[in-house]
Amino acid sequence: MTTTIKRRDAGVSLFHALSDVTRLEIMERLKEGEQCVCDLTDALKTGQSRLSFHLKVLKDAGLITDRPEGRWTYYALNREGLEELEAVVQALRGSRPRVGSSSRCR
Amino acid sequence: MTTTIKRRDAGVSLFHALSDVTRLEIMERLKEGEQCVCDLTDALKTGQSRLSFHLKVLKDAGLITDRPEGRWTYYALNREGLEELEAVVQALRGSRPRVGSSSRCR
DNA sequence: TGTACGGATCAACGAATGTTGATTACTCAT
DNA sequence: ATGAGTAATCAACATTCGTTGATCCGTACA
C-alpha cells in the first residue's frame, strides 16, 4: 500500500527526530509550555548553534512549531505531530499475534 | 529524577531502533507473526549479514525477541518493548498545554 | 566424521549525523 | 545610523551508523 509506505517514511523521520538525548530533553522542556531559544540554551546549558540545529530537526519532523516574535523565536510542541507519532506507534502493535505462523523453514 | 533519565535513555534506544526503513519493514513483517531470518531475507530481498545487523539493533532495544531452534532462529515482536514504547510516547504528550508560560524574554 | 546450511560476527569502507566556531540577518534601543 | 542582542546558517571536522564480503560457529543429516 502507498499509505503504508507513507506511514513508514513518516515514522522514520519522527523516530529519527526523537532518537537523540538533546532532542528528547527539548521535548520535555516544551511540555512545560512555549519557550524561546534563550530559555532552552539556559536550561540545557548548551551552545546556541547546537540547539538551533536540533530544533530544526524536530521542526522538520513536525514535532514542534516555531513562532518568531520580535527578536525571539518561541518553540512549542506540535499536537498534530505527536498525534501522528501515536498513530505510527499504534500501527506497530501486532494486529494478529498469531503463533506458529512461520512458514517454510523445515 | 533518575526515572526520567532512564526513560529518556530507553526512549533514545527505542526511537533509534525504529528510525530506519529496513527495521520498520522488519517490524511490519513480524506483525504477521513469528518468522525466521530466512523468511525475512526472502521477503525483504536483502543480504543475510545486513538483516542480522538490523535484527540485532531491534533486539538490543527490546522490541523483538529471538528464539533459536535447531538451525533456525525465529524472531517475533516483543510486546513488552512495544508497551514501553507507548509509555515513552505517552510521556511526550504535554501534560499541561499552558499557553504563554514563557518566562524571561522581555 | 564430514559437509552443507542458517545465522552471528568482524573489518573495512562510505555515508549520514552531530559539534563547534564564525558569519549573517534581523530587531530593538539609543 | 549605530551598536547590542537573538537566532539561523555555513564550513570544517569528528563521530556514529549502515553496508558489504569474509569468516566463524553451531546444528543437522549423510
Side-chain angles (χ1 to χ4, degrees):
Chain A
M1 291 313 152
T2 306
T3 75
T4 308
I5 291 175
K6 270 197 178 163
R7 180 173 308 143
R8 196 150 57 208
D9 292 347
V12 168
S13 82
L14 286 169
F15 290 133
H16 166 256
L18 294 170
S19 67
D20 177 280
V21 195
T22 305
R23 295 197 286 266
L24 282 187
E25 280 174 0
I26 292 173
M27 294 296 283
E28 274 173 30
R29 292 283 165 179
L30 293 184
K31 284 202 294 186
E32 304 301 320
E34 196 180 51
Q35 311 222 5
C36 69
V37 178
C38 54
D39 285 332
L40 293 167
T41 44
D42 285 6
L44 304 187
K45 299 197 193 345
T46 188
Q48 176 268 321
S49 167
R50 193 169 93 101
L51 200 48
S52 203
F53 167 77
H54 288 295
L55 286 168
K56 182 165 162 47
V57 175
L58 288 170
K59 187 185 147 201
D60 288 349
L63 286 164
I64 62 177
T65 59
D66 63 339
R67 181 175 68 81
E69 184 179 312
R71 312 194 234 198
W72 294 281
T73 304
Y74 294 90
Y75 282 90
L77 293 187
N78 184 12
R79 208 146 271 284
E80 288 181 33
L82 287 171
E83 274 160 23
E84 178 154 20
L85 175 66
E86 274 190 85
V88 173
V89 168
Q90 286 304 326
L92 280 180
R93 310 211 58 157
S95 24
R96 292 142 283 171
R98 273 195 272 162
V99 174
S101 72
S102 174
S103 41
R104 47 160 281 277
C105 307
R106 291 279 160 262
Chain B
M1 290 311 151
T2 306
T3 76
T4 308
I5 290 175
K6 270 196 179 164
R7 180 169 313 141
R8 195 150 56 210
D9 291 347
V12 168
S13 82
L14 286 170
F15 290 133
H16 167 254
L18 295 169
S19 68
D20 177 281
V21 194
T22 305
R23 295 196 287 265
L24 283 187
E25 280 174 0
I26 293 173
M27 294 296 282
E28 274 173 30
R29 291 283 165 179
L30 293 184
K31 283 202 294 186
E32 303 302 319
E34 196 180 51
Q35 312 222 4
C36 69
V37 178
C38 54
D39 285 333
L40 293 167
T41 44
D42 285 6
L44 305 187
K45 297 195 193 348
T46 188
Q48 175 268 319
S49 169
R50 193 170 92 102
L51 201 48
S52 202
F53 167 77
H54 289 295
L55 287 168
K56 182 165 162 47
V57 174
L58 289 170
K59 187 185 146 199
D60 288 349
L63 285 164
I64 62 177
T65 59
D66 62 340
R67 180 175 69 81
E69 183 179 314
R71 311 194 236 197
W72 294 282
T73 304
Y74 295 90
Y75 282 90
L77 294 187
N78 183 13
R79 208 144 270 285
E80 287 182 33
L82 287 171
E83 274 160 24
E84 178 155 21
L85 175 66
E86 275 191 84
V88 173
V89 167
Q90 286 305 326
L92 281 180
R93 310 213 56 158
S95 25
R96 292 142 282 172
R98 274 194 272 162
V99 174
S101 74
S102 174
S103 39
R104 47 160 282 277
C105 307
R106 292 282 158 260

